[in-house]
C-alpha cells in the first residue's frame, strides 16, 4: 500500500502542535477513526468525541506504533527477524502493558488449542458417522 | 486473522460465562449514582483478561474503569478483535465476586461506557497494514498484531486519562479538545512512556 511511508514516516513528528495534516504520509486519514471514537468514550471522553481530537489521537497513535516498530526492528535486526519478543522487550518497563500483552498472548494460545481440539473432535464425529 | 466471531469462539465464550453477569441496563440497578464505585476495591494485579489496564486510577473520570473483568456482555459486536474469550479467572472467585459486586452497581451510563471500554479495539487488519508499511516486511505474525493492538489501546487510554486530568486541573469540562491531548502527550513524554527516536530531528 504505502511503501513510501516507511522511509518518510521517520520524519513526521506530532510532538509539536500540528495535526500532521501535511506530513508526507500517504496513508488515508481516519483509518482507526471509528474504533478510536468508541475507545475514547470507553476511556473517559464524551460519547461523541470531537473529530479533531480523534484525528490528533490517531496521529499520535500511529506515530507511537511507528516509533515502537522501528525500535523493535532495531532490536530484532540483531537477532535476525522481527518477533513478538522485541515488542515485549520494549515495553518491559511498563508493567500494565507488559502484563496485558502476556494475557493477550496466552489467551490467543488457548484459543488456538481449543480450536485444534474442536477440529479433532469434529473429525472424530465425522469418522464415526 | 479473524475479525468476526466464528461460531466456535462464540460457543467458547458462552460456556465460560458460568456466573451470570450483571445485566446491562437498569435491570438490577438501584439507581445509585455513585460515580466511581469503590476505587479501593481495585487490585493492581492482572488476572482476568480482555481488559486493558488503565494506568492512572481514573481520578475524576466518571467512567468506572475497573480491572479484572471476567464477564462480558453480549458478544455479537464487530469490535471483538482483541477481545477474546472471557476467562474463568483462573485464580480467584473472590475477585470475580468483587467484580460482580462492582458491576451490579453501575448506572446505565457507566455500564455503557464500560461496555465501550471492553469491546473497543483497533482493527487487526489496519494494524497489520500499518506494521507492514513501517517495517517493510510482509512477515507480520498474528500475535505481533494482537500485541501491538493491545499496546496501542492502552496508550490511548493513557492519553485520554491524562487529558482528563489536564482538564480537571484547568477546570474545564465537556469533550476533550486537542490542546488537552497535546498537553497529555507532552506529559507522557516527560514520564518516558513514549518511545523516543534516537534519530536526530532537525528543525523541530
Amino acid at each position: 500500500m504505502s511503501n513510501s511511508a516507511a522511509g518518510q514516516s521517520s520524519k513526521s513528528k506530532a510532538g509539536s502542535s500540528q495535526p500532521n495534516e501535511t506530513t508526507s504520509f500517504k496513508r488515508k486519514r481516519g483509518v482507526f477513526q471509528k474504533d478510536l471514537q468508541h475507545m475514547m468514550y470507553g476511556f473517559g471522553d464524551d460519547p461523541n468525541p470531537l473529530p479533531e481530537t480523534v484525528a490528533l489521537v490517531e496521529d499520535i497513535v500511529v506515530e507511537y506504533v511507528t516509533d515502537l516498530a522501528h525500535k523493535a526492528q532495531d532490536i530484532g535486526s540483531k537477532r535476525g527477524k522481527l518477533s513478538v519478543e522485541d515488542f515485549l522487550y520494549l515495553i518491559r518497563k511498563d508493567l500494565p502493558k507488559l502484563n496485558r500483552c502476556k494475557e493477550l498472548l496466552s489467551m490467543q494460545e488457548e484459543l488456538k488449542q481449543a480450536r485444534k481440539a474442536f477440529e479433532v473432535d469434529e473429525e472424530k464425529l465425522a469418522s464415526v458417522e | 486473522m479473524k475479525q468476526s466471531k466464528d461460531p466456535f469462539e462464540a460457543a467458547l465464550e458462552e460456556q465460560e460465562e458460568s456466573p451470570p453477569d450483571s445485566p446491562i441496563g437498569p435491570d438490577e440497578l438501584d439507581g445509585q449514582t455513585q460515580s466511581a464505585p469503590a476505587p479501593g476495591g481495585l487490585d493492581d494485579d492482572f488476572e482476568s483478561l480482555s481488559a486493558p489496564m488503565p494506568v492512572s486510577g481514573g481520578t475524576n473520570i466518571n467512567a468506572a474503569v475497573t480491572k479484572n473483568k471476567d464477564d462480558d456482555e453480549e458478544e455479537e459486536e464487530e469490535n471483538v478483535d482483541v477481545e477474546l474469550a472471557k476467562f474463568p479467572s483462573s485464580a480467584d472467585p473472590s475477585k470475580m465476586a468483587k467484580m460482580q459486586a462492582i458491576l451490579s452497581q453501575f448506572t446505565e451510563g457507566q455500564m455503557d461506557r464500560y461496555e465501550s471500554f471492553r469491546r473497543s479495539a483497533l482493527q487487526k487488519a489496519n494494524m497489520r497494514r500499518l506494521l507492514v508499511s513501517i517495517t517493510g516486511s510482509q512477515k507480520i505474525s498474528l500475535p505481533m498484531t494482537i500485541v501491538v493492538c493491545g499496546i496501542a489501546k492502552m496508550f490511548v487510554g493513557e492519553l485520554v486519562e491524562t487529558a482528563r486530568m489536564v482538564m480537571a486541573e484547568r477546570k474545564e469540562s465537556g469533550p476533550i479538545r486537542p490542546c488537552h491531548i497535546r498537553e497529555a502527550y507532552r506529559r507522557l513524554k516527560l514520564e518516558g512512556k513514549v518511545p523516543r527516536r534516537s534519530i536526530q530531528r532537525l528543525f523541530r
Side-chain angles (χ1 to χ4, degrees):
Chain A
M1 207 190 168
S2 49
N3 289 334
S4 53
Q8 289 159 338
S9 60
S10 50
K11 306 272 190 332
S12 70
K13 186 62 196 143
S16 55
S17 37
Q18 286 174 33
N20 274 356
E21 212 76 24
T22 56
T23 55
S24 34
F25 258 116
K26 288 234 186 75
R27 62 182 171 88
K28 305 198 290 264
R29 299 221 108 261
V31 179
F32 295 121
Q33 195 192 23
K34 286 228 186 74
D35 306 319
L36 272 183
Q37 282 178 347
H38 292 304
M39 206 182 286
M40 287 173 70
Y41 171 54
F43 278 117
D45 198 356
D46 248 32
N48 293 313
L50 298 176
E52 52 260 28
T53 312
V54 177
L56 178 61
V57 171
E58 172 172 358
D59 285 340
I60 292 180
V61 166
V62 167
E63 183 183 359
Y64 177 80
V65 170
T66 305
D67 288 347
L68 204 64
H70 275 142
K71 283 199 154 177
Q73 240 183 340
D74 290 342
I75 296 177
S77 66
K78 296 183 197 141
R79 219 177 310 185
K81 55 174 201 160
L82 189 58
S83 89
V84 190
E85 299 295 321
D86 305 323
F87 283 100
L88 292 182
Y89 176 74
L90 280 176
I91 58 171
R92 69 194 184 282
K93 297 259 177 70
D94 194 339
L95 281 180
K97 292 207 181 84
L98 184 62
N99 290 333
R100 172 66 179 159
C101 286
K102 289 188 186 158
E103 275 182 47
L104 287 173
L105 287 173
S106 69
M107 254 191 342
Q108 206 235 348
E109 265 310 305
E110 293 243 3
L111 270 184
K112 221 168 40 163
Q113 302 296 333
R115 258 184 231 130
K116 239 191 268 180
F118 181 62
E119 277 162 29
V120 168
D121 287 341
E122 279 208 334
E123 284 176 17
K124 273 198 216 149
L125 278 180
S127 61
V128 162
E129 291 162 16
Chain B
M1 288 172 293
K2 284 205 159 82
Q3 294 191 14
S4 57
K5 306 258 330 252
D6 53 356
F8 173 74
E9 237 170 284
L12 185 62
E13 286 171 26
E14 256 162 62
Q15 104 195 6
E16 282 171 359
E17 193 179 60
S18 27
D21 306 337
S22 49
I24 327 163
D27 292 349
E28 287 181 355
L29 300 176
D30 311 330
Q32 306 179 13
T33 51
Q34 64 238 35
S35 51
L42 302 180
D43 310 353
D44 259 351
D45 49 338
F46 266 90
E47 195 204 73
S48 152
L49 319 172
S50 50
M53 293 275 286
V55 173
S56 55
T59 45
N60 59 345
I61 301 172
N62 58 355
V65 181
T66 55
K67 313 163 194 171
N68 297 343
K69 299 157 280 295
D70 4 78
D71 50 26
D72 206 342
E73 290 73 58
E74 58 275 358
E75 277 88 29
E76 61 279 323
E77 186 68 29
E78 58 273 6
N79 289 342
V80 204
D81 297 344
V82 185
E83 284 269 281
L84 306 179
K86 306 169 311 305
F87 239 53
S89 117
S90 41
D92 244 339
S94 72
K95 287 226 170 104
M96 270 168 51
K98 247 191 239 174
M99 211 46 216
Q100 295 291 332
I102 294 177
L103 283 175
S104 60
Q105 309 219 338
F106 272 15
T107 66
E108 185 168 352
Q110 288 173 327
M111 188 54 89
D112 191 42
R113 195 183 287 269
Y114 179 70
E115 199 179 334
S116 276
F117 163 65
R118 286 292 298 261
R119 304 173 108 166
S120 63
L122 301 175
Q123 299 248 343
K124 287 196 280 235
N126 290 334
M127 188 57 78
R128 185 171 186 279
R129 209 177 302 147
L130 178 63
L131 282 175
V132 164
S133 78
I134 295 171
T135 64
S137 141
Q138 289 287 336
K139 289 204 203 131
I140 305 289
S141 60
L142 180 62
M144 199 180 306
T145 313
I146 292 178
V147 160
V148 174
C149 284
I151 296 177
K153 176 170 180 180
M154 294 187 68
F155 181 66
V156 170
E158 288 174 355
L159 265 182
V160 171
E161 290 181 1
T162 313
R164 275 293 185 203
M165 277 172 25
V166 168
M167 284 181 80
E169 289 169 14
R170 299 185 191 174
K171 308 220 187 343
E172 295 170 352
S173 64
I176 299 182
R177 302 203 299 275
C179 61
H180 304 128
I181 299 275
R182 278 186 223 117
E183 171 64 17
Y185 183 64
R186 188 188 69 88
R187 291 191 192 182
L188 286 181
K189 267 200 282 188
L190 289 177
E191 285 178 32
K193 298 211 163 150
V194 177
R196 310 305 301 127
R197 277 196 215 113
S198 45
I199 306 175
Q200 289 281 11
R201 247 163 293 118
L202 307 173
F203 313 117
R204 281 205 50 211

